[in-house]
Amino acid sequence: MECTTNRPGAYCKFMGKNGCTFVAGACFEVIEKCDGCGRIVETEAGRFCSVYPHPEMKWQRGICNFATHVRPELPKDASGKAINPLKAAKRASKGR
Ligand code: SF4
């Protein structure tokens, strides 16, 4: 349904007939780590994330996986080349 709280007019899966069903009855504002992200939307109520209602939670275990402004560092081998984690796991499982 369409949001009627912090992001009026935007589609939100947490919006119900009786209002917002998210934790505090509305989504939370973005945090400092979100600065520069392309998913930030500004409304009269403040700055919010267009894809996740609680940005602070999204950063608790490292980099937000929806972020457009930062990417996780890939592990590198001794020569400085990036290691493909999928191939590395495959090699490890074969015992090489
Ligand atoms: S996608 Fe992640 S980094 Fe971007 S605004 Fe939302 S929570 Fe913040």
Side-chain angles (χ1 to χ4, degrees):
M1 287 183 78
E2 277 189 13
C3 177
T4 57
T5 57
N6 290 336
R7 296 187 301 124
Y11 172 80
C12 183
K13 64 181 177 186
F14 291 104
M15 208 64 200
K17 285 182 204 159
N18 300 323
C20 182
T21 59
F22 194 62
V23 180
C27 49
F28 293 82
E29 283 201 68
V30 294
I31 60 171
E32 234 175 71
K33 291 176 182 172
C34 297
D35 284 345
C37 181
R39 301 191 199 276
I40 294 175
V41 289
E42 292 192 32
T43 68
E44 286 180 9
R47 298 169 70 221
F48 299 93
C49 176
S50 62
V51 293
Y52 198 73
H54 199 327
E56 193 175 350
M57 291 280 286
K58 209 68 186 147
W59 284 90
Q60 273 185 348
R61 293 186 183 175
I63 294 173
C64 168
N65 61 327
F66 295 133
T68 61
H69 61 310
V70 284
R71 293 271 173 245
E73 284 263 329
L74 287 176
K76 294 183 178 173
D77 64 8
S79 64
K81 284 174 63 179
I83 299 171
N84 181 331
L86 293 176
K87 287 182 180 176
K90 209 171 189 178
R91 253 180 256 126
S93 72
K94 286 181 180 175
R96 282 193 233 165

